[in-house]
PDB file of all heavy atoms in Angstrom:
ATOM      1  N   LYS M 342      -6.454 -44.827-109.247  1.00 98.00           N
ATOM      2  CA  LYS M 342      -7.099 -43.906-110.189  1.00 98.00           C
ATOM      3  C   LYS M 342      -8.133 -44.570-111.091  1.00 98.00           C
ATOM      4  O   LYS M 342      -9.256 -44.091-111.220  1.00 98.00           O
ATOM      5  CB  LYS M 342      -6.037 -43.165-111.000  1.00 98.00           C
ATOM      6  CG  LYS M 342      -5.446 -42.007-110.199  1.00 98.00           C
ATOM      7  CD  LYS M 342      -4.269 -41.374-110.824  1.00 98.00           C
ATOM      8  CE  LYS M 342      -2.958 -42.045-110.528  1.00 98.00           C
ATOM      9  NZ  LYS M 342      -2.710 -42.464-109.153  1.00 98.00           N
ATOM     10  N   GLU M 343      -7.759 -45.684-111.723  1.00 98.00           N
ATOM     11  CA  GLU M 343      -8.725 -46.316-112.628  1.00 98.00           C
ATOM     12  C   GLU M 343      -9.994 -46.715-111.877  1.00 98.00           C
ATOM     13  O   GLU M 343     -11.100 -46.593-112.400  1.00 98.00           O
ATOM     14  CB  GLU M 343      -8.106 -47.524-113.312  1.00 98.00           C
ATOM     15  CG  GLU M 343      -7.235 -47.108-114.484  1.00 98.00           C
ATOM     16  CD  GLU M 343      -6.408 -48.260-114.986  1.00 98.00           C
ATOM     17  OE1 GLU M 343      -5.567 -48.740-114.201  1.00 98.00           O
ATOM     18  OE2 GLU M 343      -6.596 -48.678-116.132  1.00 98.00           O
ATOM     19  N   ALA M 344      -9.809 -47.157-110.627  1.00 98.00           N
ATOM     20  CA  ALA M 344     -10.978 -47.585-109.852  1.00 98.00           C
ATOM     21  C   ALA M 344     -11.903 -46.404-109.568  1.00 98.00           C
ATOM     22  O   ALA M 344     -13.102 -46.454-109.842  1.00 98.00           O
ATOM     23  CB  ALA M 344     -10.525 -48.241-108.547  1.00 98.00           C
ATOM     24  N   ILE M 345     -11.340 -45.337-109.061  1.00 98.00           N
ATOM     25  CA  ILE M 345     -12.216 -44.218-108.676  1.00 98.00           C
ATOM     26  C   ILE M 345     -12.747 -43.493-109.925  1.00 98.00           C
ATOM     27  O   ILE M 345     -13.909 -43.065-109.955  1.00 98.00           O
ATOM     28  CB  ILE M 345     -11.509 -43.253-107.660  1.00 98.00           C
ATOM     29  CG1 ILE M 345     -12.508 -42.246-107.065  1.00 98.00           C
ATOM     30  CG2 ILE M 345     -10.350 -42.496-108.266  1.00 98.00           C
ATOM     31  CD1 ILE M 345     -13.560 -42.826-106.183  1.00 98.00           C
ATOM     32  N   PHE M 346     -11.920 -43.405-110.961  1.00 98.00           N
ATOM     33  CA  PHE M 346     -12.404 -42.750-112.197  1.00 98.00           C
ATOM     34  C   PHE M 346     -13.568 -43.545-112.796  1.00 98.00           C
ATOM     35  O   PHE M 346     -14.557 -42.975-113.250  1.00 98.00           O
ATOM     36  CB  PHE M 346     -11.300 -42.643-113.257  1.00 98.00           C
ATOM     37  CG  PHE M 346     -10.161 -41.707-112.894  1.00 98.00           C
ATOM     38  CD1 PHE M 346      -8.943 -41.766-113.583  1.00 98.00           C
ATOM     39  CD2 PHE M 346     -10.306 -40.773-111.875  1.00 98.00           C
ATOM     40  CE1 PHE M 346      -7.894 -40.910-113.249  1.00 98.00           C
ATOM     41  CE2 PHE M 346      -9.256 -39.918-111.535  1.00 98.00           C
ATOM     42  CZ  PHE M 346      -8.042 -39.992-112.225  1.00 98.00           C
ATOM     43  N   ASP M 347     -13.431 -44.850-112.797  1.00 98.00           N
ATOM     44  CA  ASP M 347     -14.489 -45.699-113.374  1.00 98.00           C
ATOM     45  C   ASP M 347     -15.796 -45.541-112.584  1.00 98.00           C
ATOM     46  O   ASP M 347     -16.876 -45.465-113.173  1.00 98.00           O
ATOM     47  CB  ASP M 347     -14.033 -47.167-113.351  1.00 98.00           C
ATOM     48  CG  ASP M 347     -15.042 -48.080-114.039  1.00 98.00           C
ATOM     49  OD1 ASP M 347     -15.069 -48.084-115.285  1.00 98.00           O
ATOM     50  OD2 ASP M 347     -15.819 -48.753-113.346  1.00 98.00           O
ATOM     51  N   SER M 348     -15.663 -45.464-111.275  1.00 98.00           N
ATOM     52  CA  SER M 348     -16.874 -45.294-110.456  1.00 98.00           C
ATOM     53  C   SER M 348     -17.538 -43.957-110.760  1.00 98.00           C
ATOM     54  O   SER M 348     -18.755 -43.881-110.924  1.00 98.00           O
ATOM     55  CB  SER M 348     -16.532 -45.367-108.962  1.00 98.00           C
ATOM     56  OG  SER M 348     -16.173 -46.680-108.635  1.00 98.00           O
ATOM     57  N   ILE M 349     -16.731 -42.918-110.835  1.00 98.00           N
ATOM     58  CA  ILE M 349     -17.296 -41.582-111.108  1.00 98.00           C
ATOM     59  C   ILE M 349     -17.937 -41.555-112.496  1.00 98.00           C
ATOM     60  O   ILE M 349     -19.077 -41.117-112.661  1.00 98.00           O
ATOM     61  CB  ILE M 349     -16.186 -40.507-111.020  1.00 98.00           C
ATOM     62  CG1 ILE M 349     -15.693 -40.370-109.581  1.00 98.00           C
ATOM     63  CG2 ILE M 349     -16.694 -39.164-111.544  1.00 98.00           C
ATOM     64  CD1 ILE M 349     -14.430 -39.540-109.438  1.00 98.00           C
ATOM     65  N   ASP M 350     -17.195 -42.030-113.488  1.00 98.00           N
ATOM     66  CA  ASP M 350     -17.706 -41.976-114.875  1.00 98.00           C
ATOM     67  C   ASP M 350     -19.036 -42.708-114.986  1.00 98.00           C
ATOM     68  O   ASP M 350     -19.983 -42.212-115.578  1.00 98.00           O
ATOM     69  CB  ASP M 350     -16.718 -42.644-115.842  1.00 98.00           C
ATOM     70  CG  ASP M 350     -15.418 -41.860-115.960  1.00 98.00           C
ATOM     71  OD1 ASP M 350     -15.376 -40.718-115.475  1.00 98.00           O
ATOM     72  OD2 ASP M 350     -14.450 -42.411-116.524  1.00 98.00           O
ATOM     73  N   ASN M 351     -19.068 -43.898-114.409  1.00 98.00           N
ATOM     74  CA  ASN M 351     -20.280 -44.710-114.561  1.00 98.00           C
ATOM     75  C   ASN M 351     -21.442 -44.180-113.734  1.00 98.00           C
ATOM     76  O   ASN M 351     -22.586 -44.213-114.182  1.00 98.00           O
ATOM     77  CB  ASN M 351     -19.982 -46.180-114.251  1.00 98.00           C
ATOM     78  CG  ASN M 351     -19.326 -46.841-115.440  1.00 98.00           C
ATOM     79  OD1 ASN M 351     -19.978 -47.062-116.462  1.00 98.00           O
ATOM     80  ND2 ASN M 351     -18.037 -47.104-115.360  1.00 98.00           N
ATOM     81  N   ALA M 352     -21.140 -43.676-112.559  1.00 98.00           N
ATOM     82  CA  ALA M 352     -22.229 -43.095-111.749  1.00 98.00           C
ATOM     83  C   ALA M 352     -22.810 -41.887-112.482  1.00 98.00           C
ATOM     84  O   ALA M 352     -24.027 -41.699-112.533  1.00 98.00           O
ATOM     85  CB  ALA M 352     -21.714 -42.692-110.375  1.00 98.00           C
ATOM     86  N   LYS M 353     -21.941 -41.091-113.081  1.00 98.00           N
ATOM     87  CA  LYS M 353     -22.443 -39.908-113.813  1.00 98.00           C
ATOM     88  C   LYS M 353     -23.303 -40.336-115.004  1.00 98.00           C
ATOM     89  O   LYS M 353     -24.363 -39.759-115.268  1.00 98.00           O
ATOM     90  CB  LYS M 353     -21.271 -39.028-114.263  1.00 98.00           C
ATOM     91  CG  LYS M 353     -20.828 -38.070-113.167  1.00 98.00           C
ATOM     92  CD  LYS M 353     -19.469 -37.467-113.368  1.00 98.00           C
ATOM     93  CE  LYS M 353     -19.325 -36.594-114.560  1.00 98.00           C
ATOM     94  NZ  LYS M 353     -17.957 -36.044-114.671  1.00 98.00           N
ATOM     95  N   LEU M 354     -22.854 -41.357-115.707  1.00 98.00           N
ATOM     96  CA  LEU M 354     -23.642 -41.869-116.839  1.00 98.00           C
ATOM     97  C   LEU M 354     -25.013 -42.358-116.377  1.00 98.00           C
ATOM     98  O   LEU M 354     -26.031 -42.102-117.026  1.00 98.00           O
ATOM     99  CB  LEU M 354     -22.913 -43.044-117.505  1.00 98.00           C
ATOM    100  CG  LEU M 354     -21.811 -42.718-118.493  1.00 98.00           C
ATOM    101  CD1 LEU M 354     -21.149 -44.010-118.966  1.00 98.00           C
ATOM    102  CD2 LEU M 354     -22.377 -41.947-119.684  1.00 98.00           C
TER     103      LEU M 354
END
Side-chain angles (χ1 to χ4, degrees):
K342 280 171 275 316
E343 280 169 296
I345 191 67
F346 293 164
D347 185 77
S348 290
I349 292 169
D350 293 349
N351 280 290
K353 275 163 64 180
L354 279 176

